[in-house]
Amino acid sequence: MILLTVTLALLCSTDMKANAGIYGGDGIGVNGGEISWSVNTVSGVLTISGNGEMPNFTEKTEKSPWRSYRAYITTVVIENGITNIGDYAFYGCSSLKNIVIPSNVKNIGTRAFT
């Protein structure tokens, strides 16, 4: 009975880990910029990389592509090359605790971190 309980617990734990991972996309830059993103749902790190400006997003219609992973995001790392953080970029990321912004970012949009 104990072996069965331990086996079931390990199976459930494995299934939960199998559903977690790294998700991402590219092609979100504006004005010819090339920006990609990836979020690791295990570590909670969202990384924005590439060159150029991040587009502006809105609260309701033009949502950021990583929005569906916002419950996992605890850290945002914006890499060198990104020059603008868009409006509402990290809107609703209520678990966000750490943000790394390089010195070449010239503008942080409205409600980017609310």
Side-chain angles (χ1 to χ4, degrees):
M1 184 64 136
I2 293 173
L3 181 59
L4 178 61
T5 303
V6 170
T7 303
L8 286 174
L10 287 173
L11 285 174
C12 290
S13 173
T14 302
D15 285 342
M16 287 171 33
K17 287 180 183 175
N19 290 330
I22 299 174
Y23 304 90
D26 54 18
I28 65 166
V30 296
N31 298 327
E34 296 182 17
I35 296 175
S36 60
W37 64 277
S38 66
V39 62
N40 183 319
T41 58
V42 176
S43 68
V45 177
L46 168 64
T47 303
I48 311 291
S49 58
N51 292 296
E53 297 180 19
M54 184 185 299
N56 289 319
F57 304 102
T58 64
E59 180 180 356
K60 296 182 180 177
T61 56
E62 297 295 323
K63 298 175 184 172
S64 64
W66 49 82
R67 184 177 171 101
S68 60
Y69 303 103
R70 65 186 171 188
Y72 297 100
I73 299 170
T74 59
T75 300
V76 170
V77 176
I78 300 171
E79 295 186 342
N80 284 325
I82 305 300
T83 59
N84 176 65
I85 298 173
D87 295 349
Y88 291 87
F90 309 104
Y91 180 80
C93 293
S94 58
S95 298
L96 185 57
K97 296 177 183 158
N98 303 301
I99 305 163
V100 177
I101 302 173
S103 61
N104 61 308
V105 169
K106 303 299 180 209
N107 184 50
I108 298 176
T110 303
R111 299 194 74 184
F113 295 100
T114 59

